């Protein structure tokens, strides 16, 4: 019998195990895969954006669901404490633009090795690999209260513990072992589980894209998404790119957090990309007219290079329906307005996402209302804890999600 069993040896599970072991607990860490930390090793394209230096108030503005849930635990273990945690274990860190923090080596592996090395040196921690938990063992006491009593493995074995932490992750990157098992365990224990959708993921659109634009990156553009009623449901400024079947890149990932659930519900959303967000429409129209007057003999398809990068010209020609070899002085007012509308809001009909194989995080999970935000203990089953992505807690890209995993795991580890 261990003092505490932790299900899942990912970022949250390993952090909680270290914290609990530091407090003298006998910890049994169970991992279904052959190796722990598989998702951690590939996060941030193998570089591991482990936190963000934004102040807490600003940080919480990037958190979805109920950001107030982590305010208490973040007051005790936040970005500076996390950075000190890894630097004290021999991992130098570096801060990059936007407050994003990475290991100085640029290798996620260093973060993993620091954590697994810490755990393997501790005599009060046992790590079992290839260990599949089938269900939680929950006992009802004579007074009617429910208490966790351990776990049951796939082979039928029951392992006893009076504290169990579910840190199984979500559904993103399923090849790393994220299969949603924790959601099922929580539901079987009586918890409400918010339905899951992929988040921080590329978006697909119904319009075919010319091959010239695929892989091309746009900088300093504004992406807005409107619902069928015309209400703007997301708006972001920055960098984006084109995938073979839709939109990708940083601001698209952030947008997906706000629209993925709507798309999953079947809503058809319209994305508009303002290619000239710094220039008001009326001023841009005056500039177009001036260019038309000055370059009147220039062919339209060639003149598009005045306002667009070469990679976007095929898309513009396809959308504008203006003759390729028309001279600029022959372009009428209606056609010029179509060009203006393209520059200020080229539209794409969003129909879905790239799914969990590419999603950075999962949106949805164990209802926060049923978890104590100070301790991460279940309000329904004594001794049962949750941490990390299994919770209904997600955030923007930029180091926010890993910090949430570490913060909630630290709180759980202190109380196991």
């Amino acid at each position: 019998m261990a003092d505490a069993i932790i299900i899942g040896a990912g970022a949250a599970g390993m952090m909680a195990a270290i914290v609990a072991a530091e407090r003298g607990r006998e910890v049994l860490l169970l991992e279904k895969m052959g190796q722990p930390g598989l998702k951690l090793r590939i996060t941030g394209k193998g570089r591991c954006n482990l936190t963000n230096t934004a102040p807490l108030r600003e940080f919480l503005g990037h958190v979805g669901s109920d950001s107030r849930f982590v305010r208490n635990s973040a007051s005790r273990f936040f970005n500076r404490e996390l950075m000190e945690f890894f630097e004290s274990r021999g991992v130098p860190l570096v801060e990059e633009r936007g407050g994003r923090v990475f290991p100085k080596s640029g290798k996620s592996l260093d973060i993993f090795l620091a954590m697994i090395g810490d755990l393997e040196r501790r005599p009060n921690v046992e790590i079992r690999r290839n260990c599949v938990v089938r269900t939680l063992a929950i006992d009802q006491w004579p007074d009617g209260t429910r208490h966790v009593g351990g776990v049951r493995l796939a082979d039928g074995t029951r392992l006893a513990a009076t504290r169990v932490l579910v840190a199984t992750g979500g559904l993103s990157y399923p090849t790393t072992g994220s299969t949603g098992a924790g959601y099922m365990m929580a539901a079987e224990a009586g918890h409400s589980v918010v339905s899951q959708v992929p988040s921080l993921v590329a978006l697909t659109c119904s319009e075919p894209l010319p091959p010239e634009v695929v892989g091309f990156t746009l900088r300093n553009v504004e992406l807005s998404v409107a619902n069928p009623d015309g209400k703007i449901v997301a708006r972001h400024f920055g960098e984006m790119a084109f995938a073979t079947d839709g939109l990708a890149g940083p601001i698209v990932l952030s947008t997906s957090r706000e629209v993925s659930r709507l798309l999953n519900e079947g809503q058809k959303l319209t994305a508009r990309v303002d290619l000239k967000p710094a220039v008001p429409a009326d001023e841009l129209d005056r500039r177009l007219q001036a260019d038309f007057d000055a370059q009147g003999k220039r062919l339209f398809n060639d003149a598009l290079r005045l306002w667009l990068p070469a990679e976007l010209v095929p898309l513009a020609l396809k959308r504008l329906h203006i003759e390729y070899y028309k001279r600029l002085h022959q372009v009428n007012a209606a056609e010029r307005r179509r060009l203006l509308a393209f520059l200020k809001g080229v539209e794409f009909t969003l129909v879905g996402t790239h799914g969990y194989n590419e999603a950075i995080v999962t949106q949805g999970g164990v209802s926060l209302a049923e978890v104590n935000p100070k301790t991460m203990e279940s309000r329904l089953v004594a001794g049962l804890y949750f941490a990390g992505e299994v919770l209904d807690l997600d955030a923007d890209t930029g180091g926010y999600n890993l910090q949430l995993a570490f913060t909630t795991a630290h709180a759980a580890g202190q109380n196991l």
Side-chain angles (χ1 to χ4, degrees):
M1 179 176 179
D3 292 327
I5 290 175
I6 298 174
I7 310 171
M14 288 191 290
M15 174 61 78
I18 291 170
V19 175
E22 284 179 336
R23 297 172 70 86
R25 311 297 282 172
E26 294 287 337
V27 178
L28 180 56
L29 181 57
L30 307 179
E31 171 55 46
K32 68 186 292 185
M33 304 298 284
Q35 290 294 328
L38 291 179
K39 185 177 178 182
L40 180 63
R41 298 188 222 181
I42 64 171
T43 189
K45 297 181 179 178
R47 297 186 62 222
C48 195
N49 182 189
L50 64 109
T51 188
N52 192 290
T53 60
L56 181 57
R57 180 184 294 273
E58 179 184 335
F59 185 102
L60 294 179
H62 291 273
V63 178
S65 192
D66 186 358
S67 62
R68 296 171 299 177
F69 179 82
V70 292
R71 188 179 295 276
N72 184 284
S73 55
S75 69
R76 289 177 277 122
F77 188 81
F78 192 42
N79 44 25
R80 295 299 171 185
E81 290 80 7
L82 180 66
M83 293 168 70
E84 183 181 339
F85 175 91
F86 283 109
E87 288 177 332
S88 68
R89 287 164 173 76
V91 184
L93 304 175
V94 62
E95 181 179 345
E96 299 186 2
R97 63 180 177 86
R100 299 175 303 157
V101 177
F102 296 86
K104 191 173 183 180
S105 65
K107 297 178 180 178
S108 300
L109 186 63
D110 289 350
I111 298 296
F112 165 72
L113 291 176
M115 299 187 81
I116 197 69
D118 184 306
L119 289 168
E120 290 179 339
R121 287 190 294 270
R122 294 182 182 273
N124 57 334
V125 176
E126 178 187 351
I127 305 173
R128 293 193 190 179
R129 297 163 172 83
N130 298 306
C131 186
V132 180
V133 175
R134 186 182 66 197
T135 187
L136 301 170
I138 297 174
D139 304 317
Q140 185 155 330
W141 287 17
D143 62 1
T145 59
R146 299 165 70 230
H147 293 249
V148 74
V151 300
R152 290 189 178 86
L153 305 183
D155 64 5
T157 303
R158 173 167 169 161
L159 302 177
T162 57
R163 300 285 188 275
V164 174
L165 169 64
V166 178
T168 51
L171 289 163
S172 56
Y173 300 121
T175 56
T176 65
S178 299
T179 59
Y183 303 134
M184 291 182 281
M185 294 178 199
E188 289 172 354
H191 275 275
S192 303
V193 180
V194 179
S195 62
Q196 300 88 53
V197 293
S199 188
L200 302 186
V201 65
L203 302 172
T204 57
C205 63
S206 60
E207 298 86 356
L209 296 173
E212 294 87 349
V213 80
V214 175
F216 180 65
T217 296
L218 290 169
R219 293 177 174 82
N220 301 317
V221 297
E222 183 181 83
L223 172 65
S224 60
V225 178
N227 66 16
D229 297 328
K231 179 183 177 182
I232 301 298
V233 295
R235 189 191 302 272
H236 293 276
F237 175 86
E239 184 178 304
M240 61 165 284
F242 293 94
T244 55
D245 57 354
L247 311 179
I251 61 174
V252 174
L253 298 186
S254 296
T255 297
S256 74
R257 190 170 65 82
E258 297 159 278
V259 305
S260 185
R261 190 170 297 280
L262 298 176
L263 291 170
N264 189 63
E265 293 169 353
Q267 287 198 35
K268 295 295 187 292
L269 305 177
T270 301
R272 294 183 179 88
V273 181
D274 187 343
L275 302 170
K276 308 287 184 181
V279 186
D282 55 351
E283 181 181 339
L284 183 57
D285 194 29
R286 286 193 294 271
R287 293 184 186 183
L288 290 177
Q289 292 181 59
D291 288 337
F292 277 36
D293 292 340
Q295 307 274 345
K297 293 184 179 181
R298 197 166 177 177
L299 297 176
F300 180 71
N301 64 334
D302 177 54
L304 281 172
R305 289 289 288 111
L306 293 169
W307 315 293
L308 292 169
E311 291 83 355
L312 286 190
V313 168
L315 179 63
L317 291 171
K318 185 174 183 178
R319 294 290 188 90
L320 293 173
H321 304 292
I322 299 174
E323 294 178 15
Y324 288 28
Y325 301 109
K326 207 172 193 178
R327 304 284 178 180
L328 278 187
H329 66 77
Q330 297 174 312
V331 175
N332 60 41
E335 291 170 329
R336 190 189 73 245
R337 285 193 292 270
R338 291 210 299 272
L339 172 60
L340 176 64
F342 180 91
L343 295 174
K344 291 297 293 179
V346 54
E347 294 188 352
F348 303 90
T349 304
L350 301 180
V351 292
T353 73
H354 275 200
Y356 289 113
N357 285 332
E358 297 181 27
I360 296 174
V361 297
T362 306
Q363 189 176 116
V366 178
S367 172
L368 302 182
E370 298 171 356
V371 178
N372 185 324
K374 295 181 181 180
T375 64
M376 301 301 142
E377 185 176 13
S378 165
R379 296 186 188 276
L380 309 182
V381 180
L384 176 61
Y385 296 77
F386 299 95
E389 198 175 348
V390 73
L391 291 164
D392 180 24
L393 194 64
D394 66 286
D396 290 329
T397 182
Y400 303 101
N401 286 285
L402 260 180
Q403 179 66 61
L404 290 175
F406 288 130
T407 292
T408 55
H410 188 275
Q414 285 188 314
N415 291 281
L416 282 173

